[in-house]
Amino acid sequence: MGSSHPKPPAQDPIPAHDTPILGMTERPRVPAPAMYGDAGNFWVEYPSGLVDVSRTSPLPKTSTANINPPAINLESQMDIHVDGDRVVRVDRKRTALVVIDMQNFFLHPDLRAHPLGLECVQPLMNVVPALRSAGSKILWVNWGLTEHELSTIPPALIRGFKKHNAAGGFGSDLPGDFGRLLMRGAYNSELYGPLQAEFKKGEKEGTDVWIHKNRMSGLWGYQTALDLYLKENGITTLLFAGVNADQVSGRFRQPAPPTLPSTAISLSHEASYRGCVLGTLVDAYFRGYDCIVLKDATATTSPEGAYESVIYNSGGSYGFVTDTGRVIAGSAVKA
């Protein structure tokens, strides 16, 4: 005998109220021009795949079905191809490259093994001059603690930077000439290898700025140095690069026991170094900045899947994902 209860109607795999990232690997193009935001702060996306975040050409309130994308103003704008079959149009002077924690403490082979982080150095050396010539700022956002800040860091963060035996941590002495851990002016707090000289070059030219931070995120609190700089200079679009992409556990090297030569090193302590790139990226997203991650200039030491998760969410939720080659190509097109 059959059931008297009717069968429920068939449902689409993704309910209409779900956000686009759920169940999707790529967001489909919009069927008609769409504006997100209001007249003072907006993006416009077109069926062609262009996403204009330059905030220069709002859509009219009337029908937009037959509106074509405006022509690019090469003197003030550049188009960057990104993952997901899109092109992002940005304002050159309102765009900044945010390079996070590419410091000796996180990258120098005498302190740790971070081969993927070292692979980010050359892409940065390539893209930094290109963005300078395009009129964009280069912001080097790094740990650089003061004596006063040592007394203001919360317990969880202090514990995360200590070794498993509770030794070391912020302000502790590192081997050789590296100085105190992540203190301002210490060698371990300088940029790694050629990046330090590249910053000095840009600083002299007035294109590069060094911004200290005292948390994982450069935008964690009210009026951080990074947030103040961005607001004072009208910067709305951020290109993200650096280490570490997510929450990681990193081993750092310490001097060998006295029975070994003074030049020897050992990998005997492990501490947790959380994702400074992800922290700053998410806080920037919450504050309304346009976020674009440079995937070939961002790295982590975490197990497989952690980096991929950051990239997936960056392209699906926080903003967009591209690489330095496509940024260089976009910045090279000029009037």
Side-chain angles (χ1 to χ4, degrees):
M1 183 174 179
S3 172
S4 60
H5 297 289
K7 292 183 178 180
Q11 294 184 346
D12 293 333
I14 303 175
H17 61 270
D18 275 354
T19 54
I21 194 173
L22 297 179
M24 291 171 44
T25 57
E26 187 172 295
R27 180 190 294 264
R29 292 187 177 186
V30 294
M35 190 168 97
Y36 314 118
D38 56 36
N41 182 24
F42 61 90
W43 294 1
V44 179
E45 184 168 7
Y46 296 90
S48 65
L50 175 68
V51 184
D52 188 345
V53 304
S54 67
R55 297 166 175 81
T56 54
S57 301
L59 292 178
K61 294 183 179 180
T62 57
S63 174
T64 62
N66 297 318
I67 293 179
N68 294 318
I72 185 172
N73 182 344
L74 291 175
E75 291 185 357
S76 62
Q77 298 172 327
M78 61 180 170
D79 284 352
I80 301 173
H81 287 260
V82 300
D83 291 0
D85 194 27
R86 295 295 193 278
V87 176
V88 178
R89 179 167 295 169
V90 304
D91 185 311
R92 294 171 181 262
K93 293 188 180 300
R94 301 182 72 185
T95 296
L97 173 63
V98 179
V99 185
I100 300 173
D101 289 358
M102 293 292 287
Q103 297 169 274
N104 283 320
F105 178 70
F106 298 102
L107 294 174
H108 200 290
D110 287 349
L111 291 177
R112 74 182 67 254
H114 199 334
L116 295 178
L118 294 177
E119 289 179 8
C120 296
V121 174
Q122 191 56 53
L124 283 172
M125 293 294 292
N126 296 337
V127 77
V128 164
L131 285 170
R132 285 187 191 134
S133 66
S136 301
K137 291 292 187 181
I138 313 298
L139 309 182
W140 304 87
V141 181
N142 300 304
W143 283 95
L145 300 172
T146 65
E147 293 294 339
H148 170 70
E149 287 172 335
L150 287 179
S151 65
T152 66
I153 298 175
L157 187 54
I158 294 173
R159 181 175 183 267
F161 270 78
K162 283 186 175 290
K163 305 169 190 176
H164 72 278
N165 61 358
F170 293 119
S172 62
D173 290 323
L174 293 173
D177 297 327
F178 284 102
R180 296 171 64 196
L181 197 154
L182 295 179
M183 298 297 289
R184 292 191 191 184
Y187 178 51
N188 77 95
S189 299
E190 290 185 4
L191 293 166
Y192 173 76
L195 296 177
Q196 181 72 15
E198 190 63 33
F199 158 70
K200 290 292 186 181
K201 177 182 176 182
E203 183 183 39
K204 186 176 181 179
E205 295 175 358
T207 58
D208 293 34
V209 179
W210 186 294
I211 297 179
H212 293 290
K213 65 184 178 72
N214 56 20
R215 296 293 191 277
M216 304 297 182
S217 169
L219 294 168
W220 69 275
Y222 177 69
Q223 289 192 334
T224 63
L226 175 57
D227 199 30
L228 282 172
Y229 181 88
L230 297 174
K231 285 183 167 57
E232 289 172 356
N233 290 274
I235 293 172
T236 55
T237 302
L238 307 180
L239 309 176
F240 283 93
V243 296
N244 279 301
D246 68 314
Q247 182 168 340
V248 306
S249 291
R251 295 180 181 270
F252 71 89
R253 301 172 186 254
Q254 67 164 22
T259 55
L260 296 178
S262 60
T263 55
I265 52 178
S266 63
L267 283 171
S268 60
H269 290 297
E270 184 170 335
S272 175
Y273 309 117
R274 290 161 181 82
C276 297
V277 176
L278 179 60
T280 309
L281 166 67
V282 172
D283 282 340
Y285 167 67
F286 290 155
R287 281 169 165 75
Y289 293 101
D290 318 325
C291 301
I292 305 175
V293 173
L294 306 186
K295 59 185 177 182
D296 62 332
T298 304
T300 185
T301 57
S302 286
E304 184 178 358
Y307 168 83
E308 288 78 7
S309 176
V310 172
I311 296 301
Y312 176 78
N313 286 305
S314 296
S317 290
Y318 309 140
F320 308 95
V321 175
T322 189
D323 54 56
T324 57
R326 286 181 281 183
V327 173
I328 293 169
S331 65
V333 181
K334 299 177 182 177

